[in-house]
Structures are given as C-alpha cells and as structure tokens.
Amino acid sequence: MAGLKIDGVTRRFGEFEALKQVTLEIGNGEFVAVLGPSGCGKTTLLRAIAGFEKISEGSITVGGAEVSGPGRHVPPEARNVGIVFQNYALWPHMSVAENVGYALKVAKVPRAERGRRVQEALDLVDLGAMGERRPANLSGGQRQRVALARCLVATPSLVLFDEPLANLDVHLRAAMEAEFADFHKRTGTTIVYITHDQAEAVALADRIAVMDHGRLIQFATPQELYARPANAMVAHFIANGIVLPATVLGEEQAGKVLVDVLGEQVVMDCPPGTGPRPAGVCLRPADLRLADSGGIGVAVKRAVYRGGGFRIEGHPVLRPDLEIGFDLPDPARLAAGEVARLAITGGWVLPAGQE
Amino acid sequence: MLILMVAAVVLLLSVLPMARLMWELVAPQSGTAAQSLTKALSAGSTWTATWNSLQTGVAGTVLAMVLGTTTALIVSLTDVRGRGVFVFLYVIPLLIAPQVTALAWLQLFGPASPFLKLIGMAPPLGSRNPLYSPGGIILLLGVQYGPMAFLMVRAALRRLPRELVEAALSGGASRFTVLRTIILPLITPALIGAAALVFVSCVGNFGIPAFLGIPANYLVLPTLIYQKLAGAGPAVLTEVTILSIVISLIAMAGIVAQDFLSRRRDYRITTTSLPPEPFGLGRWRILVEAGLAALILAVLVLPLTGLTLTSMITAIGRKVVLSELTLANYGFILTEHAATPRAFVNSFGLSLAAALVAVMIAVPLGYMIAWQRNRWTRALNLSIELPYALPGVVLAIASLLLFLKPIPVLGIQIYNTIWIILFAYCARFLVLALRPTIVGYQQIDRALEEAAQVAGAGLMTRLRTIIFPLVAPATLAGGCLIFLTALSELTVSALLWSSGSETIGVVIFSFEQGGDSAFASAVSVMTVIATVALMLATNLFARRLPNGVLPWRD
Ligand SMILES: Nc1ncnc2c1ncn2[C@@H]1O[C@H](COP(=O)(O)OP(=O)(O)OP(=O)(O)O)[C@@H](O)[C@H]1O
Ligand SMILES: [Mg+2]
C-alpha cells in the first residue's frame, strides 16, 4: 500500500491537451474517486498512473518512488499497481484460477504458495469454488469479481478502477458498490476509482477529484463538494445543483454574507473574504421552500412525475433566459403554466471568477 | 529489442532482395548498366513481351472482374441457396496452382482430350488446341482470378449497412435502381481495388502463359525471363533484371492505384448493422442457381474431370474406354520416377517450413503493426506487402542476384540448393500470415494485454502466454494459406530449382514440356486432392477464427 502523488501532470496528444497541470495528492489507504463528464481525461489520468501513457510534463510518485517524471518512465509491468478494467479483460484461454494466478506465475512464486494465494483471493471475492471455470461461463458480476481477485493477488500498492460498473445492470451495480466498499475496508488498499456517475462516487469515496476538460477542478470530500462546490460545473455535476446569478451585497462575516438573488435578499455561506461583487450561487433542495407569497416567481414549463414527487422545470419570471429545476415531493402539485413561488433560505456563493 | 529483431527479419526478407535488385542497375554483374539497358530495351522481344503482358493482363482482368463481380452480387444480394458450398467450390481455382489450371483446361480442349473423346466431340487429331493462344491465356486468367475479385467484392458488399439499401427501397426505388444508384457506387472503391490486385496477379502469372503461350511462341514478360534464364543461365542476369524491373513498374502502377484509392476509404468505420436483407428472386431463383451450378461445372468440375481422365490413360491419342482407365501412371511416378517423390517431399517440407517461419514472425510483427502504431509501421507493412504484390519472377531474380555468390562473411553457398527456394518462399508469402494476424489483433481487446502488463509480465512473457494463444487461430489460418499456396508453387521455383531441389510445380512443368501430359496430370491430381483435403480440414476449426481469415469459408 502506498500513497500517490500527482504533480503538475500534463499529457498532450499533438496539440490537444488531455490533461492540464493536474496536481493531486492521495494518502495511504484512501479511496479516491475521479469524476467528470465524458472526454474530460479520466481514463488518460488512470493510464498515466498505470504507466500506459507517457506524460508530457510533471511527475507521478507512488509510495515515495517517482514512476513518471522528466526523462523517467517506469514501464507498467514494474509499477506494482493493479487495475480492474471496465470490460474485465479476463483472458478467455485461461481458467479463473489461472487468470488470478497469472501475476504470481510471472513472478515465479512456487506452485504450492501460488495455489494457496489464488484460493485466498478467490475466497475473498466469494468465488472459492469457481477456480476451474472459464471466464466465458461466468455472469457479469462474477467476472467483475474475478477481475478484482486477479488484481488483489499480487498485493499491489495501488488499485485503479476504470468505470468498473459501467457494463452492469442497476441492481448488480448496487451489490457491487457494497462489495467494493467492503473490500476497501478489509484490505485498506489505496484506490483510485474512475467513474462518470456522481452517485457512485459519492457513495464510495473518501474524497472525490472532479475533472473537466483535462483540468482538476476540485478535490474534496463528498460533503464539501455538495455544500461548497468550486464552480458552476461542480455544482451542477454533483446532485444537480441549481446555479443562479446573484449579487453579493455585504462583506463576509463568520463564513456568511448577504446576497441578492433575483430580488430576494438571502444570507448564504461563502468562501472567506467574499466582498460585494456579482457572483453565482448554488442552491440545494434544502435551500428552497415552496411559499404562498414572497420568494422568487418560477414559471413552470414542465412537471414530470418521478415516483414520490414531481420534477419541476421552469424559469424565473424575472429572468426567462435562465433554467431552474427542482423536486416537489408528494402530495404537492404544480402544472405547466402555473407560477410557483420559491423562498430561498440558504445557499452557497461560488468563489470569485467561477460563475 | 523486439523491434530490432523484427526489423532485422523484415530487412532480410523484404528490403534486402529489393535493394539488391535496384543495385544491379547501378553496378551490374557484367558490363555497364548503360550497355545492358540499351541491349534489353532495344530488343524487339522485350517490347513484344511487354505488349503481350499488358494485353493479356488487361483482358484477363476484365474477364475476372465481370465473372467475380456478377457472382458476388448474386451470392451476396439475392436469396440463392447453397451459398457456403458455392463459395467453397468457387474459390478452389484460386488455390489450385495456375499451371494445374492450365493443364486441366488443356486436357479438356485438346484434340487428345479424353473427355471430348468420351462424349465423341474431339476435334480431329493434329489440329491445334485452341487454348494455345492469347485468347486461351485470357480465358484462364479470368477463370483463375475471378474468385479473387469475387472475394473482395463480396467483402465490400457485406460491409454495406442495410439502412442505406432500405432507405432507398422505402423511397420507392426499384431493386434494380437501388443496385445501380446505391450499391454499385458504394462498392466502387472495392471494385477498383479488386481490379488493381487482379491486374497485378494477371501480369505476374507465370504458370498459365508458360503452359499456353510457350508452345504457341507467344511470350509475356515472366515467360520471356524464364526462357532467357533457362537458356543462358546467370550470364543474362543483368538483362533479365531489367526485364523484371519493367514488369515491376507495370505491377506498381496497379498497386499505387489501389493504394491511392483505398486510402480515400475509411476502413475504421465498421458498421455494426446487419447486411441488407437478400432480394427475393422468386421464380428466377432456380434459374440463377442453375447458372451458378453451371459456372462451377465449367470452371471446376469439367477441367478437373479432364485432368483426372488424362491421368488415368496409358496412351494419349487412343480411344478412351472407361474400362481401360488405370492407376498405372500414379504407380510409375511414385515408384519408378525418382524426382517425383523427391519433389513431394521437397514441396511439403518447403511449404511447412515457410508456413512455420511466417507464423513465428507474423505474431510479433503483427503486434507491432497493429498495436504499436508509429511512423515506422506503415513503411514496415508496405515493405512486407511488396514481395508478394510484385510478380514472383521479380523476387526470384532478386534472390538469384543476392545468393549467386556465397554469403559474405559466413561463406555459405545457398544458390543451387533448396534453401534459396525457402528464402524466397518466406519473403514472398510472409504477408499471407501477417494479414490475418493483423485482423486477429484488431479484434482482440487491448486491455487483455494491459492486464498482463500490470500483473508484471514483460513483453516476451506476454507474447508467449497471452498474445500468442489469442491470435494463434488467425495466424495459423494464414499459415495454412501459405502452405496451400506454396505447395504447388511454380513461378519462383521454376527459376530457382536445381537437380535435387525440384518442387511439385517444377515436376509438373517438366513432364508437360516433355510431352508427358498423363504424368503431369497425375501429379496435379494428387496436389489438388491434398489442397482440397487441407481446405476441408481447416474448415473444422474455423468456428474459432475471426471472420474473414479463411477466404474459402463463407
Ligand atoms: N491516443 C489519443 N490520441 C488523441 N487523443 C486522445 C487519445 N486518447 C485520448 N484522447 C483524447 O483525450 C480526451 C480525454 O480522453 P479520456 O479517454 O481520458 O476521457 P474520459 O474522461 O475517460 O472519457 P469517458 O468517460 O468517455 O471514458 C478525449 O478528448 C480524447 O479524445
Ligand atoms: Mg474513459
């Protein structure tokens, strides 16, 4: 097990920068999710850590030893990192036990010890009795677990997951999520987990690194990301926060400040040192309340029933160019064309320059 | 390390012979380059042969394209039955050596034809076999390479997404209009590509003009080169080098055209859509099927029947009586004629060795070309394609030039031994194992290798334990193709053989030249049987192969 330090890593494909100055420090035994929209560079980052991509600038250090840096590139086979691939990448011409034992065989571990460790790893993922099967004869979830056992058996210093649940159905996903969390608790391995599903990241990770267009936007705990997003993209991406334009009216005091949102004056949380300026604010469901009068007017464009309540989409009456969406729990009703009044009770002022 | 090894092999097998050929122009064996050049280029025979090559090449290509495209359209787009069988049978002529095809047709049409006699239609004795003519050569080139056009057009038709056809049909277009306005334009690049390849093959063919042209004194470039070398030996090497460069230039025109056209096509767009629904032929179906059957009868069954009958009669020219057919010819060549069994041993050994060498090289080489894309891979690929794309005589002459003198430093003489043939086979046929291997690589998920890499396996270990087992089926299919092609190969061995290192092709050729058609036919029949048996055998494990690596499997 080891910590991972990524320092100013840039990866260029020709002119295009897939990673831009990414800096990230992950502690020993931490479970970190890397989250971001498609094409933001997650896989590239993971492949750079594993050693499949050479980096153009910066350095990567695993457990105190530099593995990628200026003029230095340790090949993947010498890095002792484990990967669980999105499509499992099990070798079809080997049995489950052979798949799992491959790394040990390559490392010339004696046969008896190899057998024992393979069995241990298979037991750990509840596949103790399936060693002789072929990967083709396993279900999706079982294959995923074989892939997990295969990467564990070599006791890697770091385990990388590339969207390991993307190919599974919803029910299996939930089960495997629990399994990953359990696995992390038992082994204490450092894990970097790539996903574009924010719910998955929030459920599993100690900390989440949010990426966009090759840049690291914010690296923080799920709670922090939810309550204090660094910019509008994070606010949207994590739990679909509402971002509205606003004006900060006063000076920050004890982390709070008075803000004008579409004519409503609200006291909100804010970064230290916030002063009067135009700003974006992020609102969460807890910050909104349906009111009879006052608040901001929202013209309802569409109401879609989503089990347990309606999802309302509309736009502020004062600013028809903005979109606003929120959930309305049963039994309340709103129909298209109506005007709802929303009272704002709190929120978060996005840091300067991050509307 | 691996890169160095692979580069060395490619250098040895592909670049070196071609470079040696070019070097001959700069520093010839005898005289100056200018002298040989004027001599070769002022000779009337050179220009006659060039003209003949172009003539038969173009006409043969047209015939092959018409045959191949028509059959491909019928087989791919309509609801005819028995497709698999048809494809298997129709592709056989492509795998039977050209000289065997030539021999079989000669037996079919000649005045001594046992077949025509059997049905009482033989022309009078002493009349000329109509196949000893440019027309005969063109006909057989068309028959030989029609399947090649067929395979390429069929592959293109299979890639055609059904939506395109269905969109046109639902737009109210009749089927014939769809064919004319949608399908044919879409496969035009494939048609042109196929035509270029067929042209190159026709121009480089030796077996057919050797059997049909030499007796009529109608020479094309490959046969002219053969005659000069057979007559005067290495003394004329410089002169035939120039001839082989002329033929390379003609072939190159075809290759360049093909490369240019295929580059404008994007191979990466592979649609996941199904191929179009077959057009129902209705009442016409049975007629079309009869037509296809007649085609098989004409290009395969009849010639092979003629060949078999000839191989079973003892005195050519006599009346053929079924009860007098005998296996005596087989007995003679196998027990009393020393060269034939030796040729079988040689050819089997050569084909097997060439196939093995190619398989062993193709796996790491394909790995580099398919997975380690860099600026060298294109050049690498091209330099391996070249010895196969260029006519066989060119490579044979390059090998002669390369090994006429003992190998420097080592002092080993491989000229006049079987090893020079093996070298030429490896150089020429490597690409046949490489192409399916690359297809195989493209169908393997790269993550399988990466998983082994993170498990700590170095490149050699990965090649051995992960990569080879995964691409092996495709590569071995290529190996089989090499074995089949090399088994009765003639073009290269006709120029490189020596006493003791005869190949099957050479033996058939010598028998026929000595007037022993019956013996030649007997050897041919055995080769055909071996070829078809091997094709059937590979079909058995075809289920485990990626699509499209066995040409004869639909
Ligand atoms: N080998 C390459 N050559 C050129 N561009 C590349 C290469 N690999 C990745 N890219 C580009 O880098 C960007 C980031 O790609 P990456 O695969 O890391 O995205 P991702 O975040 O994993 O996306 P997804 O969620 O869709 O998997 C993309 O725009 C991609 O087109
Ligand atoms: Mg990705």
Side-chain angles (χ1 to χ4, degrees), chain A residues 260-321:
Chain A
D260 175 290
V261 189
L262 304 177
E264 271 297 85
Q265 303 218 335
V266 191
V267 175
M268 289 189 181
D269 296 330
C270 67
T274 302
R277 62 176 165 93
V281 296
C282 166
L283 307 179
R284 298 292 181 184
D287 302 325
L288 297 175
R289 195 162 43 75
L290 216 51
D292 297 328
S293 61
I296 55 173
V298 175
V300 176
K301 210 165 59 186
R302 218 149 57 118
V304 183
Y305 191 65
R306 286 269 172 85
F310 278 89
R311 172 82 193 162
I312 308 293
E313 279 164 30
H315 45 78
V317 177
L318 294 178
R319 290 286 301 272
D321 54 317

Coordinates of all heavy atoms in Angstrom, one line a residue, chain A residues 260-321:
Chain A
D260 N -28.1 39.1 -3.0 CA -29.4 39.4 -3.7 C -29.5 38.4 -4.8 O -28.7 38.4 -5.7 CB -29.4 40.8 -4.2 CG -30.6 41.1 -5.0 OD1 -30.7 40.5 -6.2 OD2 -31.5 41.9 -4.6
V261 N -30.6 37.5 -4.7 CA -30.8 36.6 -5.8 C -32.1 36.9 -6.4 O -33.2 36.7 -5.8 CB -30.9 35.1 -5.2 CG1 -30.9 34.1 -6.4 CG2 -29.8 34.8 -4.3
L262 N -32.1 37.4 -7.7 CA -33.3 37.7 -8.4 C -34.3 38.5 -7.5 O -35.5 38.2 -7.5 CB -34.0 36.5 -8.9 CG -33.2 35.5 -9.8 CD1 -34.0 34.3 -10.1 CD2 -32.7 36.2 -11.0
G263 N -33.8 39.5 -6.8 CA -34.6 40.3 -6.0 C -34.8 39.9 -4.6 O -35.3 40.6 -3.7
E264 N -34.5 38.6 -4.3 CA -34.6 38.1 -2.9 C -33.3 38.4 -2.2 O -32.2 38.2 -2.7 CB -34.8 36.6 -2.9 CG -36.2 36.0 -3.0 CD -37.0 36.3 -1.8 OE1 -37.6 37.4 -1.8 OE2 -37.1 35.5 -0.9
Q265 N -33.4 38.8 -0.9 CA -32.2 39.0 -0.2 C -32.0 37.9 0.8 O -32.9 37.6 1.6 CB -32.3 40.3 0.6 CG -32.5 41.5 -0.4 CD -31.7 42.7 0.0 OE1 -31.4 42.9 1.1 NE2 -31.4 43.6 -1.0
V266 N -30.9 37.1 0.7 CA -30.7 35.9 1.5 C -29.3 35.9 2.1 O -28.4 36.4 1.5 CB -30.8 34.7 0.6 CG1 -30.9 33.4 1.4 CG2 -32.0 34.8 -0.4
V267 N -29.2 35.4 3.3 CA -27.9 35.2 3.9 C -27.4 33.8 3.5 O -28.1 32.8 3.7 CB -28.0 35.3 5.5 CG1 -26.6 35.0 6.1 CG2 -28.4 36.7 5.8
M268 N -26.2 33.7 3.0 CA -25.7 32.5 2.5 C -24.3 32.2 3.0 O -23.6 33.1 3.4 CB -25.6 32.5 1.0 CG -26.9 32.5 0.3 SD -26.6 32.2 -1.5 CE -28.3 32.3 -2.1
D269 N -23.9 30.9 2.8 CA -22.5 30.5 3.1 C -21.6 31.1 2.0 O -22.1 31.2 0.8 CB -22.3 29.0 3.2 CG -23.1 28.4 4.3 OD1 -23.2 29.1 5.3 OD2 -23.6 27.3 4.2
C270 N -20.4 31.4 2.3 CA -19.5 31.9 1.2 C -18.0 31.6 1.6 O -17.7 31.4 2.7 CB -19.7 33.4 1.0 SG -19.2 34.3 2.4
P271 N -17.2 31.6 0.5 CA -15.7 31.5 0.8 C -15.2 32.6 1.6 O -15.8 33.7 1.5 CB -15.1 31.5 -0.6 CG -16.2 31.3 -1.5 CD -17.4 31.9 -0.9
P272 N -14.2 32.4 2.4 CA -13.6 33.5 3.2 C -13.2 34.7 2.3 O -12.8 34.5 1.2 CB -12.4 32.9 3.9 CG -12.3 31.5 3.5 CD -13.4 31.2 2.6
G273 N -13.5 35.9 2.8 CA -13.0 37.1 2.1 C -13.9 37.6 1.0 O -13.6 38.5 0.2
T274 N -15.1 37.0 1.0 CA -16.1 37.4 -0.1 C -16.5 38.9 0.2 O -16.9 39.2 1.3 CB -17.3 36.5 -0.1 OG1 -16.8 35.2 -0.4 CG2 -18.2 36.9 -1.2
G275 N -16.5 39.7 -0.8 CA -17.0 41.1 -0.7 C -18.0 41.4 -1.7 O -18.3 40.5 -2.5
P276 N -18.5 42.6 -1.8 CA -19.5 42.9 -2.8 C -19.0 42.7 -4.2 O -18.0 43.1 -4.6 CB -19.8 44.4 -2.5 CG -19.3 44.6 -1.1 CD -18.2 43.7 -0.9
R277 N -19.8 41.9 -5.0 CA -19.4 41.6 -6.4 C -20.6 40.8 -7.0 O -21.4 40.2 -6.2 CB -18.1 40.8 -6.5 CG -18.2 39.4 -5.8 CD -17.0 38.6 -6.0 NE -16.9 37.4 -5.1 CZ -17.3 36.2 -5.4 NH1 -17.9 36.0 -6.5 NH2 -17.2 35.2 -4.5
P278 N -20.7 40.8 -8.3 CA -21.6 39.8 -8.9 C -21.1 38.4 -8.7 O -19.9 38.2 -8.7 CB -21.6 40.2 -10.4 CG -20.6 41.3 -10.5 CD -19.9 41.5 -9.3
A279 N -22.0 37.4 -8.4 CA -21.5 36.1 -8.2 C -22.5 35.1 -8.6 O -23.7 35.4 -8.8 CB -21.1 35.9 -6.7
G280 N -22.1 33.8 -8.7 CA -23.0 32.7 -9.0 C -23.3 32.1 -7.6 O -22.5 32.1 -6.7
V281 N -24.6 31.7 -7.4 CA -24.8 31.0 -6.2 C -25.4 29.6 -6.5 O -26.0 29.4 -7.5 CB -25.9 31.7 -5.3 CG1 -25.3 33.0 -4.8 CG2 -27.2 31.9 -6.0
C282 N -25.1 28.6 -5.6 CA -25.5 27.3 -5.8 C -26.6 27.0 -4.8 O -26.4 27.2 -3.6 CB -24.4 26.3 -5.7 SG -24.9 24.6 -5.4
L283 N -27.8 26.5 -5.2 CA -28.9 26.2 -4.3 C -29.1 24.7 -4.3 O -29.1 24.1 -5.4 CB -30.1 27.0 -4.7 CG -30.0 28.5 -4.9 CD1 -31.3 29.1 -5.4 CD2 -29.5 29.1 -3.6
R284 N -29.3 24.2 -3.1 CA -29.7 22.7 -3.0 C -31.1 22.6 -2.6 O -31.7 23.6 -2.0 CB -28.8 22.1 -1.9 CG -27.3 22.2 -2.2 CD -27.0 21.3 -3.4 NE -25.6 21.3 -3.7 CZ -25.1 20.6 -4.8 NH1 -25.9 19.9 -5.6 NH2 -23.8 20.6 -5.0
P285 N -31.7 21.4 -2.7 CA -33.2 21.3 -2.3 C -33.4 21.8 -0.9 O -34.5 22.5 -0.7 CB -33.4 19.8 -2.4 CG -32.4 19.3 -3.4 CD -31.2 20.2 -3.3
A286 N -32.5 21.7 0.0 CA -32.7 22.1 1.4 C -32.8 23.7 1.5 O -33.3 24.2 2.5 CB -31.6 21.6 2.3
D287 N -32.3 24.3 0.5 CA -32.3 25.8 0.5 C -33.6 26.4 -0.1 O -33.8 27.6 -0.1 CB -31.1 26.3 -0.3 CG -29.8 25.8 0.2 OD1 -29.7 25.6 1.4 OD2 -28.9 25.5 -0.6
L288 N -34.5 25.5 -0.6 CA -35.7 26.0 -1.3 C -36.9 25.6 -0.5 O -37.0 24.5 0.0 CB -35.7 25.5 -2.7 CG -34.6 25.9 -3.6 CD1 -34.7 25.2 -5.0 CD2 -34.6 27.4 -3.8
R289 N -37.9 26.4 -0.5 CA -39.2 26.0 0.1 C -40.3 26.7 -0.8 O -40.1 27.8 -1.2 CB -39.2 26.6 1.5 CG -40.3 26.0 2.4 CD -40.0 26.3 3.9 NE -39.5 27.6 4.1 CZ -40.2 28.7 4.1 NH1 -41.5 28.6 3.9 NH2 -39.7 29.9 4.3
L290 N -41.3 25.9 -1.0 CA -42.5 26.5 -1.7 C -43.2 27.4 -0.8 O -43.5 27.1 0.3 CB -43.4 25.3 -2.1 CG -44.1 25.4 -3.4 CD1 -43.1 25.7 -4.6 CD2 -44.9 24.1 -3.7
A291 N -43.4 28.7 -1.3 CA -44.1 29.6 -0.4 C -45.4 30.1 -1.0 O -45.6 30.0 -2.2 CB -43.1 30.8 -0.2
D292 N -46.3 30.7 -0.2 CA -47.5 31.2 -0.8 C -47.3 32.6 -1.4 O -47.9 33.0 -2.4 CB -48.6 31.3 0.3 CG -48.8 29.9 0.9 OD1 -48.8 28.9 0.0 OD2 -49.1 29.7 2.1
S293 N -46.4 33.3 -0.7 CA -46.2 34.7 -1.2 C -44.7 35.0 -1.0 O -44.0 34.2 -0.3 CB -47.0 35.7 -0.5 OG -46.7 35.7 0.9
G294 N -44.2 36.0 -1.6 CA -42.8 36.4 -1.5 C -42.0 35.4 -2.3 O -42.5 34.7 -3.1
G295 N -40.6 35.3 -2.0 CA -39.8 34.5 -2.8 C -39.7 34.9 -4.2 O -40.1 36.0 -4.6
I296 N -39.1 34.0 -5.0 CA -39.0 34.3 -6.5 C -40.0 33.6 -7.2 O -40.4 32.4 -6.9 CB -37.6 34.0 -7.0 CG1 -37.2 32.5 -6.8 CG2 -36.5 34.9 -6.4 CD1 -35.9 32.1 -7.4
G297 N -40.5 34.2 -8.2 CA -41.5 33.5 -9.0 C -40.9 32.6 -10.1 O -40.0 33.0 -10.8
V298 N -41.4 31.4 -10.2 CA -40.9 30.5 -11.2 C -42.1 30.1 -12.1 O -43.1 29.5 -11.6 CB -40.3 29.3 -10.6 CG1 -39.8 28.3 -11.6 CG2 -39.1 29.7 -9.7
A299 N -42.0 30.4 -13.4 CA -43.0 29.9 -14.4 C -42.7 28.5 -14.7 O -41.7 28.1 -15.2 CB -42.9 30.8 -15.6
V300 N -43.7 27.6 -14.4 CA -43.5 26.1 -14.6 C -43.7 25.8 -16.1 O -44.7 26.1 -16.7 CB -44.5 25.3 -13.7 CG1 -44.3 23.8 -14.0 CG2 -44.2 25.6 -12.3
K301 N -42.6 25.2 -16.6 CA -42.7 24.8 -18.0 C -43.2 23.3 -18.2 O -43.9 23.0 -19.1 CB -41.3 25.0 -18.7 CG -41.3 25.3 -20.1 CD -39.9 25.8 -20.6 CE -38.9 24.8 -20.3 NZ -37.5 25.2 -20.6
R302 N -42.7 22.5 -17.2 CA -43.0 21.1 -17.4 C -43.0 20.5 -16.0 O -42.2 20.9 -15.1 CB -41.9 20.5 -18.2 CG -42.3 19.4 -19.1 CD -41.4 19.3 -20.3 NE -40.1 19.1 -19.9 CZ -39.4 18.1 -20.3 NH1 -39.9 17.1 -21.0 NH2 -38.1 18.0 -19.9
A303 N -43.9 19.5 -15.7 CA -43.8 18.8 -14.5 C -43.9 17.3 -14.8 O -44.8 16.9 -15.5 CB -45.0 19.2 -13.6
V304 N -42.8 16.6 -14.4 CA -42.7 15.2 -14.7 C -42.8 14.4 -13.4 O -42.0 14.6 -12.5 CB -41.4 14.9 -15.5 CG1 -41.4 13.4 -15.9 CG2 -41.3 15.8 -16.7
Y305 N -43.7 13.4 -13.4 CA -43.8 12.6 -12.2 C -42.6 11.6 -12.1 O -42.3 10.9 -13.1 CB -45.1 11.9 -12.1 CG -45.3 11.3 -10.7 CD1 -45.4 12.1 -9.6 CD2 -45.3 9.9 -10.5 CE1 -45.6 11.6 -8.3 CE2 -45.5 9.4 -9.3 CZ -45.6 10.2 -8.2 OH -45.7 9.7 -6.9
R306 N -41.9 11.6 -11.0 CA -40.7 10.8 -10.9 C -40.8 9.9 -9.6 O -39.8 9.7 -8.9 CB -39.5 11.7 -10.7 CG -39.0 12.4 -11.9 CD -38.0 11.5 -12.7 NE -37.7 12.1 -13.9 CZ -36.8 13.1 -14.1 NH1 -36.1 13.6 -13.1 NH2 -36.5 13.6 -15.3
G307 N -41.9 9.4 -9.3 CA -42.1 8.5 -8.2 C -41.8 9.2 -6.9 O -40.6 9.5 -6.6
G308 N -42.8 9.5 -6.1 CA -42.6 10.2 -4.8 C -42.7 11.7 -4.9 O -42.6 12.4 -3.9
G309 N -42.7 12.2 -6.1 CA -42.8 13.6 -6.3 C -42.7 14.0 -7.7 O -42.4 13.2 -8.6
F310 N -42.9 15.3 -8.0 CA -42.7 15.8 -9.3 C -41.3 16.5 -9.5 O -40.8 17.1 -8.6 CB -43.8 16.9 -9.6 CG -45.1 16.3 -10.0 CD1 -46.1 15.9 -9.1 CD2 -45.4 16.0 -11.3 CE1 -47.3 15.4 -9.4 CE2 -46.6 15.4 -11.7 CZ -47.5 15.1 -10.8
R311 N -40.8 16.3 -10.7 CA -39.6 17.1 -11.0 C -40.2 18.3 -11.8 O -40.9 18.1 -12.8 CB -38.7 16.3 -11.9 CG -37.6 17.0 -12.5 CD -36.4 17.1 -11.5 NE -35.4 18.1 -12.0 CZ -34.5 18.7 -11.2 NH1 -34.5 18.4 -9.9 NH2 -33.7 19.5 -11.7
I312 N -39.9 19.5 -11.3 CA -40.4 20.7 -11.9 C -39.3 21.4 -12.7 O -38.2 21.6 -12.2 CB -41.0 21.7 -10.9 CG1 -41.9 21.0 -9.9 CG2 -41.6 22.9 -11.5 CD1 -43.2 20.6 -10.5
E313 N -39.6 21.7 -14.0 CA -38.7 22.5 -14.7 C -39.4 23.8 -15.2 O -40.5 23.8 -15.6 CB -38.2 21.8 -16.0 CG -37.1 20.8 -15.6 CD -36.9 19.8 -16.7 OE1 -37.1 20.1 -17.9 OE2 -36.5 18.6 -16.4
G314 N -38.6 24.9 -15.0 CA -39.2 26.2 -15.4 C -38.2 27.3 -15.5 O -37.0 26.9 -15.6
H315 N -38.6 28.5 -15.5 CA -37.7 29.6 -15.5 C -38.1 30.7 -14.6 O -39.4 30.9 -14.5 CB -37.3 30.1 -16.9 CG -38.5 30.3 -17.7 ND1 -39.3 31.4 -17.6 CD2 -39.1 29.5 -18.7 CE1 -40.3 31.3 -18.5 NE2 -40.2 30.2 -19.1
P316 N -37.2 31.5 -14.0 CA -37.6 32.6 -13.1 C -38.4 33.6 -13.9 O -38.1 33.8 -15.1 CB -36.3 33.2 -12.7 CG -35.3 32.1 -12.9 CD -35.8 31.3 -14.0
V317 N -39.5 34.1 -13.3 CA -40.3 35.0 -14.1 C -39.5 36.2 -14.5 O -39.7 36.8 -15.6 CB -41.5 35.4 -13.2 CG1 -42.3 36.5 -13.9 CG2 -42.3 34.2 -12.8
L318 N -38.6 36.7 -13.6 CA -37.8 37.9 -13.9 C -36.7 37.6 -15.0 O -36.3 38.5 -15.6 CB -37.1 38.4 -12.6 CG -38.1 38.9 -11.6 CD1 -37.3 39.3 -10.3 CD2 -38.9 40.1 -12.1
R319 N -36.3 36.4 -15.0 CA -35.2 36.1 -16.0 C -35.6 34.9 -16.8 O -35.1 33.7 -16.6 CB -33.9 35.7 -15.2 CG -33.2 36.9 -14.5 CD -32.6 37.9 -15.5 NE -31.5 37.2 -16.3 CZ -30.3 37.1 -15.9 NH1 -29.9 37.6 -14.8 NH2 -29.4 36.5 -16.7
P320 N -36.4 35.0 -17.8 CA -36.9 33.9 -18.6 C -35.8 33.1 -19.3 O -36.0 32.0 -19.8 CB -37.9 34.5 -19.6 CG -38.1 35.9 -19.1 CD -36.9 36.3 -18.3
D321 N -34.6 33.7 -19.4 CA -33.5 33.1 -20.1 C -32.8 32.0 -19.2 O -32.0 31.2 -19.7 CB -32.4 34.1 -20.6 CG -32.0 35.0 -19.4 OD1 -32.8 35.4 -18.6 OD2 -30.8 35.2 -19.3

